[in-house]
Amino acid sequence: MRYSVFFCLLLLVVAFWGCQEKPQKLSEEEEKMYIEKGKEVAQQSFLALSSQLMGAMKEGGAVHAINYCNLQAVPLTDSLSKAYQVAIKRTSDKWRNEKNKPTELEAEIISWYLEDKKVGRELLPKVVSLKDNEVLFAAPILINSQCLKCHGTPADIDDQSLDLLKKHYPNDDAQGYKPNDLRGIWSITFKSPKY
């Protein structure tokens, strides 16, 4: 009796796993299309975010930019997501805002990029097929000299900005970068049906 109950439960588990929708492999043409569209969305999102951030820097320096990011970066990304009908996220292995914490897959992609960078490989956009006909596009975000005012070493960040970062982000891990370091990735999820 015990073995038949166990056997029935085992069959149910196997049947359940068999019914789960598995990611479909993308054709070369689909992969190319998602990379092109992902690059376009990432570029437009970068331009929107960086222009707002640079405006805040000109208006009040790094302190004003930190306040702007704290209040407006996620809502701006959310509005761009709606405009493009995708889910746009910036994430990193060293995040500042808890909302930008990477998923397990995003963390794996970041580690691929870190390894590629370590051995001198070109950091190319990637696409990953997900369940429910969703596709994840990822592209690297690299540190430039402007980023160092908020993400550099303590020597790069003025005292007032450091204090404000501690206030807004008590668990901040997004400092200590040097130019051209991998800051993180653009993570853009295309929802089903296919784009």
Side-chain angles (χ1 to χ4, degrees):
M1 176 73 175
R2 233 175 29 185
Y3 291 112
S4 51
V5 169
F6 174 77
F7 184 70
C8 287
L9 285 173
L10 183 62
L11 282 175
L12 282 172
V13 168
V14 170
F16 175 77
W17 280 116
C19 291
Q20 296 296 303
E21 186 176 343
K22 294 180 177 58
Q24 299 292 316
K25 177 128 173 76
L26 296 173
S27 71
E28 194 174 310
E29 185 178 302
E30 289 171 322
E31 191 171 312
K32 190 183 228 182
M33 188 247 329
Y34 281 113
I35 285 176
E36 288 306 311
K37 193 61 186 172
K39 284 164 67 174
E40 177 190 328
V41 173
Q43 179 67 20
Q44 292 304 314
S45 299
F46 169 77
L47 290 173
L49 284 166
S50 64
S51 68
Q52 293 295 319
L53 196 53
M54 292 313 293
M57 288 285 276
K58 284 181 184 171
E59 193 175 312
V63 168
H64 191 59
I66 292 165
N67 283 322
Y68 172 83
C69 273
N70 179 253
L71 296 173
Q72 299 301 323
V74 172
L76 180 58
T77 305
D78 289 346
S79 69
L80 290 164
S81 293
K82 287 178 187 163
Y84 284 103
Q85 298 179 342
V86 297
I88 302 169
K89 180 180 173 189
R90 292 170 304 137
T91 187
S92 176
D93 58 327
K94 293 167 48 172
W95 65 90
R96 173 166 282 166
N97 185 332
E98 187 70 25
K99 293 177 182 176
N100 295 333
K101 184 177 177 179
T103 64
E104 194 175 309
L105 175 59
E106 289 166 339
E108 187 175 349
I109 292 169
I110 292 166
S111 69
W112 294 342
Y113 278 126
L114 288 168
E115 182 60 30
D116 286 349
K117 190 148 184 41
K118 186 177 174 183
V119 298
R121 279 192 290 263
E122 186 179 0
L123 304 183
L124 299 171
K126 302 176 186 310
V127 289
V128 179
S129 179
L130 306 172
K131 289 192 247 180
D132 302 323
N133 291 322
E134 293 182 345
V135 174
L136 176 73
F137 165 88
I141 300 171
L142 299 175
I143 290 285
N144 66 38
S145 59
Q146 285 293 334
C147 304
L148 298 178
K149 292 177 183 175
C150 298
H151 293 287
T153 65
D156 299 316
I157 306 171
D158 66 68
D159 290 341
Q160 191 178 5
S161 296
L162 277 172
D163 289 344
L164 191 57
L165 287 169
K166 286 176 190 168
K167 176 185 168 197
H168 287 314
Y169 309 104
N171 299 314
D172 183 14
D173 195 25
Q175 294 179 28
Y177 290 99
K178 298 183 291 301
N180 208 36
D181 279 352
L182 180 74
R183 169 68 185 100
I185 62 170
W186 287 100
S187 174
I188 299 170
T189 304
F190 293 90
K191 305 290 187 181
S192 105
K194 290 184 179 174
Y195 206 83

